[in-house]
Amino acid sequence: ETGVTQSPTHLIKTRGQQVTLRCSSQSGHNTVSWYQQALGQGPQFIFQYYREEENGRGNFPPRFSGLQFPNYSSELNVNALELDDSALYLCAIGLAGGQETQYFGPGTRLLVL
Amino acid sequence: DQQVKQNSPSLSVQEGRISILNCDYTNSMFDYFLWYKKYPAEGPTFLISISSIKDKNEDGRFTVFLNKSAKHLSLHIVPSQPGDSAVYFCAAPPTSGTYKYIFGTGTRLKVLA
């Protein structure tokens, strides 16, 4: 049981604000990836963290940043929010080197007005 | 550039019949594919995978077929059950041993009782 949790579940922000989303799990999986899923789209890879370092990034601007903590929990920070940032944000945990076993949290739905 | 495509946004099937969900890809370097299932308010959950060295992988009611020459894979669900109603995503890691998955846009399957 990996028990991936994300908080908050829903969030409303206004354009230009900053937001921090959180992800945690009960297990010791050492990678965490963040995805953005816009309405009607598949999840888009934002970045991945391994051993507290960013280990790969998708096509997202620097105002998307993250942290991974020693207890494997993670944060996604988004500065200068734009309307198009409205989406479901998913975190996924896994073990480095594995391709198959990636466990997703339920997501945080962000609405930017 | 959408490297993984699911051209059918939705599919309705009668309970007990076969559900066939399709996925096309453009990058011939992909060597591993996964299918995820997503229920509302939950994160995607891993369903089944296939390596490019195989053309078929079966797990219970779920079978994935891979046609490398056509760059096409399909997920068969037999027999379909109402609990299978969900959004199905195919995904591929562009680099082996990573979680930098590229997801398709998803197909919403509705199994009618």
Side-chain angles (χ1 to χ4, degrees):
Chain A
E1 176 62 46
T2 58
V4 183
T5 58
Q6 291 186 243
S7 62
T9 56
H10 295 82
L11 198 55
I12 300 175
K13 290 285 190 178
T14 55
R15 198 168 49 181
Q17 285 188 310
Q18 178 267 342
V19 69
T20 297
L21 310 181
R22 294 179 175 85
C23 173
S24 63
S25 75
Q26 299 173 349
S27 67
H29 289 68
N30 56 15
T31 71
V32 62
S33 302
W34 285 90
Y35 290 82
Q36 180 195 68
Q37 186 182 3
L39 201 61
Q41 301 296 314
Q44 299 288 315
F45 176 77
I46 302 175
F47 45 56
Q48 178 188 87
Y49 275 79
Y50 171 61
R51 291 184 176 175
E52 302 171 46
E53 300 270 338
E54 187 178 294
N55 180 38
R57 189 175 187 93
N59 190 25
F60 282 82
R63 60 188 185 84
F64 286 78
S65 63
L67 287 171
Q68 184 185 27
F69 299 102
N71 65 355
Y72 304 123
S73 64
S74 176
E75 288 182 355
L76 165 66
N77 299 288
V78 187
N79 294 321
L81 283 167
E82 300 177 0
L83 298 179
D84 286 349
D85 296 333
S86 297
L88 178 69
Y89 288 86
L90 297 160
C91 76
I93 62 171
L95 284 171
Q99 286 179 301
E100 195 166 301
T101 315
Q102 182 177 211
Y103 301 95
F104 283 84
T108 293
R109 187 162 295 283
L110 172 66
L111 177 61
V112 182
L113 301 175
Chain B
D1 177 29
Q2 189 68 26
Q3 297 187 58
V4 178
K5 302 176 187 179
Q6 293 176 258
N7 293 318
S8 298
S10 64
L11 175 68
S12 291
V13 171
Q14 283 295 132
E15 181 179 7
R17 306 295 289 267
I18 184 171
S19 295
I20 300 177
L21 296 93
N22 294 304
C23 180
D24 297 296
Y25 61 96
T26 58
N27 189 339
S28 57
M29 298 300 292
F30 289 161
D31 61 1
Y32 196 79
F33 302 89
L34 308 94
W35 284 92
Y36 278 82
K37 178 168 74 173
K38 186 180 185 301
Y39 293 118
E42 294 182 15
T45 55
F46 169 75
L47 188 60
I48 192 169
S49 64
I50 189 164
S51 165
S52 61
I53 62 173
K54 295 185 175 181
D55 54 17
K56 176 182 173 182
N57 189 27
E58 190 172 356
D59 183 3
R61 298 185 297 113
F62 302 92
T63 303
V64 57
F65 295 92
L66 175 62
N67 182 334
K68 291 185 287 292
S69 61
K71 295 192 181 69
H72 176 84
L73 61 154
S74 60
L75 174 68
H76 293 211
I77 306 173
V78 182
S80 301
Q81 299 174 355
D84 296 329
S85 297
V87 178
Y88 290 79
F89 294 100
C90 64
T95 306
S96 62
T98 77
Y99 293 111
K100 302 168 194 175
Y101 293 151
I102 296 177
F103 281 80
T105 52
T107 296
R108 182 176 301 277
L109 173 66
K110 189 170 185 179
V111 180
L112 306 168

